[in-house]
Amino acid sequence: MASEGILLGMGNPLLDISAVVDEDFLKKYDITLNNAILAEEKHVPMYDEMGAKYNVEYIAGGATQNSIKVAQWMLQIPGATSYMGCIGKDKFGEEMKKNSKLAGVNVHYYEDETAATGTCAVCVVSGERSLVANLSAANCYKSEHLKRPENWALVEKAKYYYIAGFFLTVSPESIQLVAEHAAANNKVFMMNLAAPFICEFFRDALEKVLPYMDFVFGNETEARTFSRVHGWETENVEEIALKISEWPKVSARKRITIITQGADPVVVAEDGKVKLFPVILLPKEKLVDTNGAGDAFVGGFLSQLVQEKSIDECVRAGCYAANVIIQRSGCTYPEKPDFK
């Protein structure tokens, strides 16, 4: 059984502003499907335009927070998971707190006095999503918050840590503190490549923390970007997953790399070998949107990992959770899982 506080996540809590848009909207704001970027000046008007033009849903999100909530849902043990990140003192922030508490996650948000709670535009076209994040308050997280006794206690209590690569743009020092604690105490430290721009433009920050990672998650686009940036001259996801798993490591625990590929099999590289796991195929008409699919996969995976189940079982749970989430809008789920 998973104990209270066994899994801790840290990341950027964002309110997803989700809508089915059209190709013209994507063109206008220079957005590519199946990508995630940080908002620039040119993207500022899109949030209001989405609200005015399309049927918008507001859903508490942020990659790490999604994964932690899904793990919590799969576990059904109140407070098994904890989460830290920064929100604003506003309506959206209050909404986020309410949502996370309902989900059963023990959240310790840092509340910024001046910045608004971060938002993420989720643009959906034929079920595929593109993300444009306006971090705002999420960008204000400070390691001082992490070091406060009541928050560091969550780090001490946890045995597993998960942080999406997006947090590298915000507080690499917080990541380093947790990574070093995990390595020193033989705990499990896990991250996600998160997005092509993280692999490319935050390469140094990613490489600094990679030796601490016991598990590396990512999707095929991120894996190929990682390969290109490192001059590996291969687009083969299996090869790339192996190379990432063989990257030098701080602790004796062997690294496992898990790369999802949408409807194609999940690639797991461990101990010099690669295994492929087929996903649950979904008829196109049942697909609502892919927003949160990768996050849900990680959440499902973690829910079994913290119970010390086999990697096969972890992948099976990941595929189950992703399959549930893509049939719904955003990273949402029914009241109870029916994972056997």
Side-chain angles (χ1 to χ4, degrees):
M1 280 290 276
S3 55
E4 193 192 326
I6 194 165
L7 172 63
L8 171 64
M10 293 172 74
N12 302 333
L14 303 172
L15 191 78
D16 282 353
I17 300 173
S18 180
V20 173
V21 301
D22 48 47
E23 291 286 353
D24 291 342
F25 186 82
L26 299 183
K27 273 203 199 74
K28 179 176 178 180
Y29 290 105
D30 193 18
I31 301 165
T32 328
L33 284 175
N34 196 23
N35 197 10
I37 58 171
L38 294 177
E40 296 167 39
E41 249 345 274
K42 65 180 178 189
H43 298 117
V44 174
M46 70 180 281
Y47 298 88
D48 286 341
E49 189 178 330
M50 280 174 82
K53 228 169 139 176
Y54 305 104
N55 186 12
V56 169
E57 282 186 277
Y58 295 90
I59 306 158
T64 307
Q65 186 162 248
N66 283 343
S67 296
I68 295 297
K69 283 200 321 214
V70 170
Q72 179 61 49
W73 171 68
M74 291 281 287
L75 284 162
Q76 294 286 312
I77 299 160
T81 63
S82 309
Y83 175 81
M84 285 187 250
C86 185
I87 58 174
K89 288 197 159 177
D90 51 22
K91 178 173 104 247
F92 284 169
E94 284 308 311
E95 197 57 38
M96 195 85 82
K97 280 195 278 196
K98 199 172 80 190
N99 185 286
S100 305
K101 287 205 174 77
L102 276 174
V105 179
N106 176 20
V107 290
H108 283 213
Y109 291 125
Y110 170 51
E111 293 182 46
D112 190 82
E113 297 289 339
T114 52
T117 296
T119 49
C120 181
V122 180
C123 307
V124 180
V125 175
S126 358
E128 292 289 324
R129 61 87 177 129
S130 190
L131 310 175
V132 184
N134 179 13
L135 296 183
S136 195
N139 205 27
C140 302
Y141 191 84
K142 307 277 184 292
S143 57
E144 289 78 66
H145 178 261
L146 174 64
K147 290 176 191 162
R148 284 186 206 152
E150 68 274 22
N151 299 325
W152 190 254
L154 297 182
V155 178
E156 296 276 1
K157 196 172 197 180
K159 294 191 177 75
Y160 297 83
Y161 307 92
Y162 174 69
I163 303 171
F166 293 117
F167 203 51
L168 286 165
T169 75
V170 174
S171 187
E173 56 283 6
S174 297
I175 298 176
Q176 195 67 27
L177 286 168
V178 173
E180 286 171 7
H181 169 86
N185 295 279
N186 195 28
K187 294 175 174 184
V188 181
F189 181 77
M190 303 170 278
M191 285 192 72
N192 198 312
L193 298 175
F197 85 86
I198 297 289
C199 302
E200 194 154 11
F201 305 114
F202 291 85
R203 174 184 170 166
D204 294 349
L206 187 59
E207 280 179 22
K208 190 179 174 198
V209 77
L210 189 54
Y212 292 90
M213 295 181 207
D214 298 306
F215 286 81
V216 175
F217 295 93
N219 69 23
E220 74 281 36
T221 322
E222 294 146 13
R224 288 185 177 123
T225 305
F226 191 94
S227 172
R228 177 173 55 77
V229 165
H230 290 90
W232 288 350
E233 294 183 357
T234 178
E235 291 262 300
N236 183 310
V237 174
E238 294 172 45
E239 273 179 55
I240 299 164
L242 260 184
K243 278 172 118 60
I244 294 173
S245 70
E246 286 159 358
W247 193 281
K249 224 170 154 300
V250 169
S251 70
R253 198 191 295 273
K254 287 195 167 74
R255 180 182 301 111
I256 299 177
T257 306
I258 298 120
I259 307 295
T260 57
Q261 312 187 84
D264 292 327
V266 177
V267 176
V268 177
E270 175 183 14
D271 213 3
K273 293 188 273 300
V274 172
K275 270 180 92 169
L276 297 178
F277 296 86
V279 302
I280 310 159
L281 291 175
L282 188 74
K284 189 84 173 131
E285 64 274 10
K286 282 192 164 177
L287 173 70
V288 174
D289 70 54
T290 55
N291 180 27
D295 303 334
F297 174 85
V298 173
F301 187 100
L302 297 179
S303 73
Q304 304 309 297
L305 187 71
V306 303
Q307 299 180 76
E308 300 180 8
K309 299 283 176 70
S310 70
I311 296 300
D312 294 37
E313 271 302 279
C314 295
V315 172
R316 194 170 73 84
C319 291
Y320 163 79
N323 184 265
V324 169
I325 265 80
I326 61 177
Q327 297 183 61
R328 302 167 68 92
S329 181
C331 197
T332 62
Y333 36 78
E335 194 188 340
K336 292 262 193 297
D338 59 1
F339 177 70
K340 303 291 181 287

